Amino acid sequence: MTPFEKPRPGRVPLRWKIAALAAATACLVAVAVGLLVHFWTASDIRSRAEMRAFNTVHSAMDTYRRTGTLIEGAELDPPGLPAALRDPADGDRHTAYDGHVDGNSGPTAWAAQRVGGPGSPVLAYGVNTNPDLYGLRRLDATMTVASLIALAAATPLAVYGAGLLGRRLSRVSETASRISAGDLDARTGPTRGRDEVDDIAATVDLMADTLGRKLRDERRFTADVAHELRTPVGGLLAAADLLAPGETEDLLRARVRDLRGLVEDLLEISRLDAGAELPVHARVPLGAVVSEAVARTGLAAEIDVTGQAEGVETDPRRLERIVGNLVVNAHRHGRTPVRVTVQGRTVVVRDHGPGFPADLLSHGPRRFHTGRAERGSGHGLGLTIALGQARVLGADLRFANAPDGGAVATLHLPT
């Protein structure tokens, strides 16, 4: 994460989302299949029981009319007969299902037919479906256990498969983060998927190639322009020294010096971009180096070295450059008093102006961009150079705004 990237809130890994989705899908499928099988089997049990009762009443009626006796199970006007069959309107056979459970009897499929004309008894036969429903309950239990086993087996497989996908996406995300942090040589490479993730990885790599090529062209152009301007600017400064003293000569010399400073800054940035800058380490007292850097700017600043001054292993020239740029930026774009605090291996430069703009806090300093109009004028290279030199030293330079107003730049030197 770069110093200007906002921390991401807690997130749920993709593998767990996919695993949860797979588990939910498996549960829905298991429930749907279980309900379908249950209701289809229950309907089949009822249909077969009604058919059996219907056929038995046919045989019982034939026997009763020939012999006057009832076969086993057949009854005349039984007390448990459903109300729909107690008074049939015609002499045909009818069926009904009684789902009522009474004592040892379970749901029963009934068939009934009147033995004669109106007012004659009703011959009925009932088929108890309790044994078949017991088998249905066993089937439900078996399907439930089978569904749980399938779910237990499918969830780890889903987690594993989602983990493979998540790792491939993490590679792409890591590459994009490295490119965002400035590592233009970062590449994802093939992800062995031949799918959309592989397409994304290839697109990110192509974007890095294009971005790197454009940035190299831009840096080369900046370096070439700065080198080409260095000689004529030097000539202008020498020519200005030959002018007769006066207000015009002073104004011209000041403008030429500003132009030379801009050219030198551009050359320094081009060297930082090219990675050609290497630190020369020495052990120095941090408080003394910071005080000397502030004094070189010629600007007023309160210096506070808290605690015991600590010797640090760093490049003092680059450290002075960083502190000097921060102090100059505080005076140019902020308001006095400017306070420089040294504590341990940390240097804090604070002003009491309008503070850093939100764009700088989010994305860091940009060249030729000074932020708000109230932060003053300038070509916007001071903080860019300070950040580049801090990276050369391996230091961490962060920008923030104080709660009570003012810009705060904090430099943490590495151990």
Side-chain angles (χ1 to χ4, degrees):
M1 181 180 292
T2 65
F4 316 103
E5 184 179 348
K6 294 181 180 179
R8 299 176 64 185
R11 58 187 179 88
V12 180
L14 180 63
R15 67 167 64 187
W16 297 118
K17 291 182 180 180
I18 295 179
L21 179 61
T25 303
C27 288
L28 288 176
V29 171
V31 170
V33 172
L35 291 176
L36 180 63
V37 171
H38 174 87
F39 287 114
W40 183 85
T41 305
S43 177
D44 182 65
I45 291 173
R46 176 175 172 175
S47 298
R48 287 189 289 108
E50 289 180 349
M51 183 60 67
R52 179 183 168 190
F54 188 88
N55 293 333
T56 303
V57 167
H58 175 73
S59 300
M61 183 63 70
D62 183 66
T63 303
Y64 180 77
R65 286 175 176 174
R66 285 187 296 103
T67 64
T69 60
L70 297 174
I71 65 174
E72 183 180 359
E75 300 178 76
L76 293 175
D77 293 328
L81 189 65
L85 300 179
R86 289 185 180 277
D87 187 18
D90 51 36
D92 294 333
R93 288 185 296 275
H94 297 276
T95 59
Y97 186 78
D98 183 10
H100 179 69
V101 179
D102 184 13
N104 294 327
S105 64
T108 303
W110 290 91
Q113 182 179 5
R114 193 176 294 279
V115 297
S120 62
V122 175
L123 187 150
Y125 183 84
V127 177
N128 192 340
T129 60
N130 211 30
D132 292 330
L133 293 179
Y134 174 74
L136 177 61
R137 288 191 289 272
R138 292 188 59 186
L139 177 62
D140 291 341
T142 301
M143 291 197 63
T144 301
V145 173
S147 299
L148 293 177
I149 294 175
L151 180 62
T155 301
L157 290 177
V159 173
Y160 176 74
L164 295 178
L165 177 62
R167 282 191 289 272
R168 294 169 60 204
L169 289 174
S170 295
R171 284 182 55 192
V172 179
S173 176
E174 180 183 356
T175 301
S177 298
R178 290 172 58 190
I179 294 172
S180 176
D183 183 6
L184 298 182
D185 294 327
R187 297 294 183 274
T188 303
T191 61
R192 296 188 228 170
R194 295 185 181 180
D195 52 16
E196 288 81 357
V197 178
D198 196 49
D199 294 340
I200 294 174
T203 303
V204 170
D205 290 347
L206 178 61
M207 177 194 67
D209 292 336
T210 304
L211 180 62
R213 183 168 59 254
K214 290 183 177 180
L215 287 180
R216 284 191 294 270
D217 292 343
E218 177 187 342
R219 291 169 180 173
R220 188 180 302 110
F221 174 77
T222 302
D224 292 344
V225 169
H227 278 290
E228 292 297 329
L229 287 176
R230 197 172 191 180
T231 299
V233 169
L236 282 175
L237 188 60
D241 290 338
L242 298 177
L243 295 176
E247 182 178 350
T248 303
E249 183 268 341
D250 292 338
L251 180 62
L252 178 61
R253 181 176 297 178
R255 294 295 178 266
V256 172
R257 285 174 177 169
D258 290 342
L259 182 58
R260 184 179 67 175
L262 174 59
V263 172
E264 294 296 333
D265 286 347
L266 288 174
L267 285 173
E268 185 173 359
I269 287 179
S270 66
R271 291 193 299 269
L272 291 171
D273 288 341
E277 296 288 317
L278 297 175
V280 179
H281 289 288
R283 189 161 190 84
V284 294
L286 182 58
V289 173
V290 171
S291 300
E292 179 67 19
V294 174
R296 287 180 184 275
T297 64
L299 302 172
E302 303 174 7
I303 302 176
D304 182 15
V305 181
T306 61
Q308 185 177 0
E310 182 178 348
V312 295
E313 190 81 17
T314 187
D315 187 331
R317 181 182 67 83
R318 298 184 190 279
L319 179 58
E320 288 184 5
R321 178 67 162 153
I322 296 171
V323 175
N325 279 17
L326 295 178
V327 172
V328 170
N329 182 81
H331 277 274
R332 178 176 294 168
H333 302 297
R335 285 196 294 268
T336 57
V338 175
R339 182 174 294 109
V340 181
T341 304
V342 181
Q343 183 175 12
R345 310 179 73 85
T346 301
V347 181
V348 180
V349 179
R350 179 189 174 180
D351 63 47
H352 290 76
F356 291 119
D359 183 64
L360 185 145
L361 297 178
S362 300
H363 307 290
R366 291 186 291 169
R367 305 170 191 180
F368 303 104
H369 186 80
T370 57
R372 304 191 191 98
E374 64 266 25
R375 284 190 58 80
S377 61
H379 48 72
L381 297 180
L383 293 183
T384 304
I385 292 174
L387 185 61
Q389 293 290 6
R391 288 172 177 166
V392 173
L393 294 180
D396 182 21
L397 179 59
R398 294 178 178 269
F399 304 101
N401 290 328
D404 55 345
V408 180
T410 305
L411 176 68
H412 297 282
L413 293 175
T415 56

